[in-house]
Amino acid sequence: MPLRQSSLPQRIRLFEMAPRDGLQNEPGAMVPTETKIELIHRLAKAGIRHIEAASFVSPKWVPQMGDAVEVMRGIRREPGVVYSALTPNLQGLENALAAGIDEVAVFGAASESFSQKNINCSIAESLKRFEPVLSRAQEADVRVRGYVSCVLGCPYEGDIAPQSVAQVARALHDMGCYEISLGDTIGVGTPLAAKRMIEAVGHEVPVDQLAAHFHDTYGMAIANLYAVMEEGVSVIDAATAGLGGCPYAKGASGNVATEDVLYLLEGLGIETGINLEAVLETGYWITSQLGRKPGSKVALARGGCPK
Amino acid sequence: MPLRQSSLPQRIRLFEMAPRDGLQNEPGAMVPTETKIELIHRLAKAGIRHIEAASFVSPKWVPQMGDAVEVMRGIRREPGVVYSALTPNLQGLENALAAGIDEVAVFGAASESFSQKNINCSIAESLKRFEPVLSRAQEADVRVRGYVSCVLGCPYEGDIAPQSVAQVARALHDMGCYEISLGDTIGVGTPLAAKRMIEAVGHEVPVDQLAAHFHDTYGMAIANLYAVMEEGVSVIDAATAGLGGCPYAKGASGNVATEDVLYLLEGLGIETGINLEAVLETGYWITSQLGRKPGSKVALARGGCPK
C-alpha cells in the first residue's frame, strides 16, 4: 500500500493569540501590564512574527484589556514582527491607530444566535458596523484581519452550515479583510467537518487567505489542523500554554497550545521559523505568573521528562 | 477544490485498556478488586466488546495486577464481550487459562534498549519466550494478540525505524498472533510518521490485522489515529478517562482517552456500537474513585458545559 502523497504546506505562518484571546479569558486576577509586555517580548524573541497584542474595546465590557494603550506603548518593537489588535468599532480603531498598531481585526460570527448574544446584533448588522472600520483602516494603510466565530458549531444553535461560514467569510473578504480567521470557538469540530467547512469557504475566498483558529475544548484541534492543512490552509492561530480556557465550559481547554502546534508541524517537516524550546520556556514562565499549569501536552510531557 | 475522497473505515473496533494498562499505571493506592470488577461491568454495559481485564504477571513485578484471578472470577461475563489478559510467559498463561480467560496477549518491543530495560532481554529472546505461550494457547483454542511497543519512538533510543517495527510485527504474526497492536508507548509520534510506520508494517502483516495503540503524551494521539485510519487501520486501543498516565513523564498523559476517540469517530461518521454517554459516566465514576479528574478533554468539556 503506497503512502498517499502528502499535500501539506511547506511552511506555516503562526499567529500568536496568548496576549489577547489568551489573557482575556484567563480566570482570576487581572494580569499586570508589565507581564503582558514581557510576554509579548518573549514571544517575539522565540521567532513568532504575528502577535495579537491587545484589544481596543470598551473597558466596560472587557476590563482585562483596559490597558491596551499602555501595552502597545510599552512594547519594544521587534523588526519583522506584526503587532495586531482587535478593534470592533471606529472608536477602538482610532485608539489603536494612535497607539501605533500595525494591523487590526474585526470579528463576526457564523451563527445568528451567537452574534446576538455575543455582540448584541445580527450578523448583517455586525458586518455593516465594520464598513467604516475597514475604510478608515485602509485610509491609514493598516491591514484588517477578519474573524469568523462558531465555524464548526455554536453553543446555542449546535451545527453550523458550511455555507453560512462561507457567506460571512466572503462578506469580510469583499469588505477588504486581507485574511479570514475561521474560529471553532467552542472546539467541537472533527476533521471531516473541518475539511468540508474549508472546502465551502474556499469557493468564496482563496484558501491562502484563510487561517484556522481552532480551540481544543474537545481534544480535536491538532487533528483538525492536520486535516485542514491537507486542504491547503497555511496560517494557524494558537496560544502559548493554551492560555484562555473556554468561557463555555469551566475547566476545559480553549485555544490550541502553540507548543503542541509547533510539535505537530516539526513532526510533519513543516517550517515555521519559531523556536519550540523558547516557546516552551515562555509557556512555563507565563503560567507560573498566573499560578496554573501549562495547557500544552508537550509542555507537560517535557516538564516531567528527563529527555 | 474538491474534498479529497475519504478512505476512512466504516466501522472501528475499540479495545478498552483502562482495567489493565490504565489501572496498572495509576499512581497512588492499589485499586480494590471490586472497583476493577465494577469498572469492567460498566465498560461492557456501555457497548465495549473487547476489554483487557487483567495481567497474569508475577505480583513481585506488578503488584497492582496481583488480583488477576479474583478479577477474572469476579466478573459477570456479558455475552459477546471478549475479556483478555496479558500473559508474558507460560506460567501466566496457565493461570489465565485456569481463570477462564477468552484471549491473551504477549508484548515485544521495536526498540532493543527498551526491550532490555523493560523485560530484561533482547527482542529476539523475548520472541523466543513467546513461542511456548503461543503453542499452548493454540492448543487451548485461545487467541493471542501481540503488542509491539515503542513503534514511533523510544525513551532511550529516540527515533525507531519503521522497518524495525515491521520485523517484530511480522515475527509475532508468523508465530500465530491474530492481531498486532502497535504502541506509541511514549506518545511522541506525529501523523506522517504514523502513516509511514503503518505503511512499512502493512508490507509484512495485513493492515486489517493491525491495531493502533497510541498514547497522548504529546497531544498527538487523535491526529495520529485519524492519519492511520486513512491508511486502513480499523482497530483502536484506548482507555476510558485516559487512565494510566505516562511512566516516563510525571503528570503527562498516557493512553488516549476512549471518550475522545469515540467523539472523533462519531464526528467522522464511523460506527463503533459504543455509547459515548455511558463511557463518559464510567469515566467520571472511576476517576472519582481514584480521586482525580478525567484525562479526557471531552469529559472535561461536558463536565463543565450545560450542553
Side-chain angles (χ1 to χ4, degrees):
Chain A
M1 188 182 45
L3 184 62
R4 197 170 300 107
Q5 192 57 40
S6 167
S7 59
L8 297 170
Q10 286 199 305
R11 197 178 167 84
I12 289 286
R13 184 157 56 78
L14 189 132
F15 209 120
E16 174 62 42
M17 295 287 139
R20 206 282 307 166
D21 198 5
L23 294 183
Q24 177 174 328
N25 293 303
E26 277 296 313
M30 302 277 279
V31 178
T33 305
E34 52 269 39
T35 306
K36 294 180 182 175
I37 292 170
E38 170 80 8
L39 174 62
I40 294 167
H41 287 166
R42 287 178 184 243
L43 294 168
K45 213 168 165 202
I48 295 174
R49 287 294 162 263
H50 253 95
I51 303 174
E52 195 171 82
S55 181
F56 287 85
V57 290
S58 165
K60 205 172 60 187
W61 298 110
V62 190
Q64 308 93 303
M65 295 285 120
D67 57 356
V69 170
E70 290 74 17
V71 169
M72 285 310 302
R73 294 215 170 123
I75 54 178
R76 190 178 57 246
R77 304 291 180 99
E78 197 79 40
V81 177
V82 175
Y83 301 89
S84 77
L86 282 193
T87 54
N89 51 41
L90 211 45
Q91 181 60 54
L93 175 63
E94 293 298 352
N95 294 343
L97 293 174
I101 202 76
D102 296 324
E103 178 179 310
V104 297
V106 295
F107 47 96
S111 150
E112 203 57 71
S113 320
F114 191 86
S115 184
Q116 289 290 356
K117 298 215 184 197
N118 199 46
I119 47 179
N120 265 313
C121 63
S122 69
I123 296 172
E125 283 162 350
S126 75
L127 294 172
K128 214 165 176 62
R129 281 189 204 168
F130 298 148
E131 279 170 17
V133 178
L134 267 288
S135 353
R136 175 70 185 100
Q138 274 154 0
E139 201 182 284
D141 205 19
V142 158
R143 295 206 298 182
V144 183
R145 195 177 203 228
Y147 285 98
V148 184
S149 58
C150 297
V151 300
L152 292 168
C154 164
Y156 313 111
E157 293 184 19
D159 288 345
I160 294 292
Q163 208 41 51
S164 307
V165 184
Q167 276 167 22
V168 181
R170 166 78 184 262
L172 289 168
H173 184 251
D174 285 353
M175 215 177 268
C177 291
Y178 81 99
E179 183 167 279
I180 313 296
S181 171
L182 301 160
D184 181 10
T185 310
I186 52 172
V188 291
T190 45
L192 292 185
K195 274 178 183 265
R196 286 190 195 113
M197 183 273 294
I198 293 296
E199 187 197 24
V201 179
H203 286 132
E204 306 295 336
V205 180
V207 75
D208 62 1
Q209 290 179 263
L210 300 179
H213 180 108
F214 291 168
H215 284 205
D216 199 33
T217 319
Y218 285 72
M220 302 292 127
I222 293 290
N224 295 344
L225 288 174
Y226 174 69
V228 301
M229 285 192 289
E230 286 190 323
E231 300 300 316
V233 171
S234 63
V235 184
I236 293 176
D237 296 0
T240 292
L243 287 189
C246 177
Y248 302 94
K250 198 169 152 263
S253 311
N255 284 289
V256 66
T258 303
E259 297 92 319
D260 299 357
V261 173
L262 293 175
Y263 184 89
L264 170 74
L265 298 178
E266 287 192 6
L268 298 174
I270 296 173
E271 289 165 35
T272 62
I274 302 167
N275 183 335
L276 170 56
E277 301 305 322
V279 176
L280 280 163
E281 278 307 313
T282 303
Y284 294 132
W285 170 78
I286 186 66
T287 49
S288 75
Q289 298 291 313
L290 298 171
R292 51 163 282 193
K293 279 198 286 186
S296 150
K297 290 215 164 181
V298 173
L300 295 176
R302 289 290 184 83
C305 194
K307 73 179 285 247
Chain B
M1 190 179 48
L3 183 62
R4 198 174 298 106
Q5 192 56 40
S6 165
S7 59
L8 297 170
Q10 284 199 306
R11 197 178 169 85
I12 289 286
R13 184 156 57 77
L14 189 132
F15 209 120
E16 174 62 42
M17 295 286 139
R20 207 282 307 167
D21 197 5
L23 293 184
Q24 177 174 329
N25 293 304
E26 276 296 312
M30 301 276 280
V31 178
T33 306
E34 52 271 35
T35 305
K36 293 180 182 174
I37 292 171
E38 170 82 7
L39 174 61
I40 294 167
H41 286 167
R42 286 177 184 244
L43 293 168
K45 213 169 164 203
I48 294 173
R49 289 293 163 264
H50 254 94
I51 302 174
E52 196 171 81
S55 180
F56 287 86
V57 291
S58 164
K60 205 172 61 190
W61 298 110
V62 190
Q64 308 91 305
M65 294 285 120
D67 56 357
V69 171
E70 290 74 17
V71 169
M72 284 311 302
R73 293 216 171 123
I75 53 177
R76 191 178 56 245
R77 305 291 180 99
E78 196 79 42
V81 176
V82 175
Y83 301 89
S84 77
L86 282 193
T87 55
N89 51 41
L90 212 43
Q91 182 60 55
L93 175 63
E94 293 297 353
N95 294 344
L97 292 174
I101 202 74
D102 297 324
E103 179 179 311
V104 298
V106 295
F107 47 95
S111 150
E112 203 57 72
S113 321
F114 191 87
S115 185
Q116 289 290 356
K117 299 215 184 195
N118 198 46
I119 49 179
N120 266 311
C121 63
S122 70
I123 295 173
E125 284 162 351
S126 75
L127 294 172
K128 217 168 175 56
R129 280 189 206 169
F130 298 148
E131 278 171 17
V133 178
L134 267 288
S135 352
R136 175 69 185 102
Q138 273 152 3
E139 203 181 283
D141 206 20
V142 158
R143 296 206 297 182
V144 183
R145 195 178 204 227
Y147 286 98
V148 185
S149 58
C150 297
V151 301
L152 292 168
C154 164
Y156 312 110
E157 293 184 18
D159 288 345
I160 294 293
Q163 207 41 51
S164 308
V165 184
Q167 275 167 22
V168 182
R170 165 78 183 260
L172 289 168
H173 184 251
D174 286 352
M175 213 177 269
C177 290
Y178 81 100
E179 184 167 279
I180 312 297
S181 171
L182 301 160
D184 182 9
T185 310
I186 53 171
V188 291
T190 45
L192 291 185
K195 274 178 184 270
R196 285 188 195 112
M197 184 273 294
I198 293 296
E199 187 198 23
V201 179
H203 285 133
E204 305 295 336
V205 180
V207 76
D208 62 1
Q209 291 178 263
L210 301 179
H213 180 108
F214 292 168
H215 283 205
D216 199 35
T217 320
Y218 285 72
M220 301 292 128
I222 293 289
N224 294 345
L225 289 174
Y226 174 69
V228 301
M229 285 192 290
E230 286 189 323
E231 300 301 316
V233 172
S234 63
V235 184
I236 294 176
D237 296 359
T240 292
L243 287 190
C246 177
Y248 302 93
K250 199 169 151 260
S253 311
N255 283 289
V256 66
T258 303
E259 297 92 318
D260 298 357
V261 173
L262 292 175
Y263 185 88
L264 169 74
L265 298 178
E266 287 193 6
L268 298 174
I270 296 173
E271 289 165 34
T272 61
I274 301 168
N275 182 335
L276 170 56
E277 301 305 322
V279 176
L280 281 163
E281 278 307 313
T282 303
Y284 294 131
W285 170 78
I286 186 66
T287 49
S288 76
Q289 298 291 312
L290 299 170
R292 52 163 283 193
K293 277 197 287 186
S296 150
K297 289 215 167 182
V298 173
L300 295 176
R302 287 291 183 83
C305 194
K307 70 178 287 245

